[in-house]
């Protein structure tokens, strides 16, 4: 059987090919693996010479092969764009090199660290953008009702499926603003006591400060769940800090996903960040007594 160009090159370079730091696979025009180096053997044991490429590698890599393979005299003139996907929990970029005999050399580079860095950068940009939007929105008004509306809407848009902002009791009722994602804030009050909800009384007390608290959705009273919201997967109660010009308030974020989900955990962190954003600008006479925002 005639050797492919890649096999001839590998024989010529000897140990340089076999000890290349990046996994490499050579696939012929019929989709059969004809050569691999030691790194590729460790990463993809099934991709041995003679194996079908589509059966020995992940689906994302085998799906890219037909589009790259261009057999014939023009094959060596171009290389396809890299593709990426997961192999054993790591993100890899696969770079194809077209050979003059119609074979394709796939070089695999572990891109996990770059992906994590890009994800961290994207998350930080989203966080910064959210805090900037929240600060500018909440500092634009001195009206308590508008600040409560804005807080509920920001939380519902960015952090959870629904949010409630609750003020201390007025008489025998709890003033609150409810907002469901995609809807406008709705002001109302409930004939209830803070002690009816675990953690709510402590959050409304304002001092000493208490951390965010998850509660069992089944223990939430009916007035905490917006009409038509459906089953609640998780609820977190976050106290809003007290300043000279602002009484204590509490923000409750409700999500349709359970507490253990990544989205619910992000909602908890986001509610905490939103609670630390200043809600309204104090009068000039008390501005010097105000604590600096922890944004």
């Amino acid at each position: 059987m005639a050797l492919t160009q890649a096999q001839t090159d590998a024989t010529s370079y000897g140990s340089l090919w076999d000890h290349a730091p990046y996994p490499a696979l050579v696939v012929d025009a019929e989709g059969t693996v004809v050569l691999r180096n030691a790194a590729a053997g460790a990463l993809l044991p099934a991709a041995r010479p003679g194996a079908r490429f589509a059966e020995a590698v992940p689906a994302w890599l085998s799906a890219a092969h037909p589009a790259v393979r261009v057999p014939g005299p023009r094959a060596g003139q171009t290389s396809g764009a890299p593709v990426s996907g997961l192999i054993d929990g790591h993100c890899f970029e696969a770079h194809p090199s077209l050979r003059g005999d119609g074979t394709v050399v796939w070089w695999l580079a572990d891109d996990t660290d770059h992906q994590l860095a890009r994800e961290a950068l994207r998350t930080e940009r989203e966080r910064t953008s959210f805090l900037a939007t929240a600060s500018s929105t909440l500092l634009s008004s001195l009206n308590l009702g508008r600040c409560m509306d804005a807080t509920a809407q920001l939380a519902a848009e960015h952090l959870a499926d629904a949010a409630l902002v609750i003020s201390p009791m007025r008489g025998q009722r709890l003033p609150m603003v409810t907002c469901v994602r995609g809807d406008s804030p709705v002001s109302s009050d409930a004939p209830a006591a803070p002690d009816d909800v675990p953690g709510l009384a402590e959050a409304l007390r304002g001092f000493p400060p208490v951390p965010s608290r998850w509660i069992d959705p089944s223990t939430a009273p009916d007035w905490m769940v917006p009409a038509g919201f459906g089953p609640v997967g998780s609820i977190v109660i976050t106290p809003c800090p007290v300043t000279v010009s602002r009484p204590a308030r509490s923000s409750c974020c409700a999500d349709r996903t359970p507490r253990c989900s990544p989205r619910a955990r992000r909602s908890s962190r986001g509610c905490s960040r939103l609670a630390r954003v200043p809600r309204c600008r104090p009068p000039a006479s008390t501005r010097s007594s105000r604590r600096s925002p922890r944004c």
Side-chain angles (χ1 to χ4, degrees):
M1 182 179 66
L3 296 177
T4 66
Q5 181 180 346
Q7 288 174 314
T8 302
D9 292 345
T11 301
S12 301
Y13 289 111
S15 62
L16 292 178
W17 159 263
D18 201 46
H19 293 88
Y22 293 103
L25 296 167
V26 180
V27 187
D28 65 15
E30 284 71 37
T32 302
V33 178
V34 297
L35 195 64
R36 71 179 183 184
N37 64 1
L43 180 65
L44 299 167
R48 59 179 60 90
R52 296 294 300 172
F53 185 67
E55 300 172 357
V57 300
W60 62 268
L61 183 53
S62 63
H65 183 69
V68 174
R69 181 174 53 82
V70 186
R74 299 179 56 192
Q77 297 179 8
T78 59
S79 293
V83 294
S84 61
L86 293 177
I87 301 178
D88 289 339
H90 289 260
C91 183
F92 278 84
E93 271 194 355
H95 298 260
S97 297
L98 307 180
R99 310 289 296 184
D101 59 353
T103 58
V104 179
V105 182
W106 284 99
W107 293 92
L108 305 177
D110 192 336
D111 194 48
T112 304
D113 290 341
H114 288 167
Q115 288 288 348
L116 291 175
R118 285 192 286 266
E119 177 66 18
L121 178 60
R122 182 190 64 81
T123 301
E124 188 61 27
R125 284 175 173 171
E126 289 182 352
R127 174 183 178 275
T128 302
S129 175
F130 166 71
L131 290 177
T133 302
S135 296
S136 61
T137 300
L138 296 172
L139 286 171
S140 63
S141 175
L142 296 175
N143 183 278
L144 179 61
R146 291 177 184 174
C147 288
M148 291 179 65
D149 288 350
T151 302
Q153 191 160 25
L154 284 166
E157 288 178 355
H158 299 281
L159 306 176
D161 293 315
L164 289 79
V165 179
I166 305 172
S167 287
M169 292 191 69
R170 295 177 184 170
Q172 299 299 317
R173 307 183 74 85
L174 278 176
M176 63 182 181
V177 173
T178 306
C179 187
V180 178
R181 179 170 296 180
D183 294 338
S184 299
V186 177
S187 299
S188 61
D189 51 29
D195 292 332
D196 295 342
V197 181
L200 182 58
E202 294 85 351
L204 289 174
R205 197 170 296 129
F207 190 86
V210 293
S212 298
R213 178 174 177 176
W214 293 93
I215 67 171
D216 184 353
S218 63
T219 64
D222 293 339
W223 58 264
M224 285 192 68
V225 182
F229 184 77
V232 180
S234 56
I235 296 178
V236 61
I237 297 178
T238 299
C240 299
V242 182
T243 66
V244 172
S245 63
R246 183 180 70 237
R249 290 196 303 281
S250 175
S251 175
C252 304
C253 293
D255 218 28
R256 294 186 175 93
T257 54
R259 173 183 175 180
C260 58
S261 69
R263 175 178 172 179
R265 291 195 296 268
R266 288 195 298 270
S267 296
S268 174
R269 293 192 295 268
C271 285
S272 299
R273 288 198 296 266
L274 181 58
R276 292 196 294 266
V277 174
R279 296 303 193 274
C280 30
R281 197 185 309 275
S285 59
T286 61
R287 192 169 299 168
S288 61
S289 301
R290 177 185 170 184
R291 296 184 299 175
S292 299
R294 296 176 293 167
C295 299

